[in-house]
Every structure is written in structure tokens, then in C-alpha cells.
């Protein structure tokens, strides 16, 4: 599972995914502490790597100029072909 945006909501998603024993990759403007990464069982990744490796991707970013078109054509072409899209 890939989590884009690892604030309060992204971390809550990680807690739930951990219960399903999923490999969890995340990307965010700021990397969280190694202690929190270990506690939640998550690994920091670039957006490109996260999209290539994840079967599920959740987006939890604020709407702003920085996040507008975050998943552009450049990154959409990196997506794992087996990703679940709903």
C-alpha cells in the first residue's frame, strides 16, 4: 500500500493497514521520525517508487498549488499495472 501525505489522516490509514500485515510505503513533504516509522511499520519512498510498488494508493494531501496535478502524466505512467483503481 502507498500513502501519499503522511499527516494525521495518512498515519491513521497506516495504523489500519498494519493490521492487514501490508507492506506500507509513504511519501510526504517531511519524513517522520525513525521511531514512528518503526512503530507503524512504514517505509519512506519517493512518489515514483511508491507508485511503481504499490497495489493500492491513497492520497491525503491538502488542496494547494503544490499538490495540484500531483499525480501528473509523468507519474501516472509509473503506476504498477496491477494497481486497484476505484
Amino acid at each position: 500500500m502507498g500513502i501519499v501525505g503522511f499527516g494525521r489522516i495518512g498515519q491513521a490509514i497506516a495504523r489500519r493497514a498494519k493490521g492487514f500485515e501490508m507492506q506500507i510505503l509513504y511519501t510526504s513533504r517531511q519524513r517522520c521520525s525513525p521511531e514512528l516509522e518503526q512503530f507503524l511499520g512504514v517505509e519512506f519512498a519517493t512518489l515514483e517508487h511508491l507508485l511503481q510498488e504499490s497495489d493500492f494508493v491513497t492520497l491525503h494531501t491538502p488542496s494547494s498549488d503544490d499538490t495540484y496535478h500531483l499525480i501528473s502524466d509523468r507519474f501516472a505512467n509509473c503506476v504498477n499495472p496491477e494497481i486497484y483503481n476505484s
Side-chain angles (χ1 to χ4, degrees):
M1 167 176 244
I3 302 173
V4 179
F6 207 65
R8 183 175 37 96
I9 296 170
Q11 291 175 26
I13 296 296
R15 285 186 191 90
R16 286 156 180 80
K18 183 179 179 183
F20 291 97
E21 299 180 7
M22 297 175 133
Q23 176 189 8
I24 306 166
L25 301 175
Y26 80 95
T27 192
S28 195
R29 286 182 288 181
Q30 295 181 325
R31 187 172 184 167
C32 66
S33 70
E35 294 82 15
L36 184 58
E37 285 183 353
Q38 183 177 0
F39 176 74
L40 294 175
V42 299
E43 180 184 338
F44 185 78
T46 65
L47 180 58
E48 186 172 359
H49 180 71
L50 181 149
L51 293 173
Q52 289 172 342
E53 296 297 319
S54 300
D55 293 328
F56 297 90
V57 176
T58 61
L59 303 173
H60 307 281
T61 59
S63 179
S64 70
D65 290 340
D66 292 337
T67 60
Y68 185 71
H69 288 286
L70 180 66
I71 308 298
S72 64
D73 289 342
R74 174 178 162 232
F75 288 118
N77 293 329
C78 297
V79 171
N80 177 345
E82 296 182 16
I83 193 168
Y84 176 79
N85 183 8
S86 65

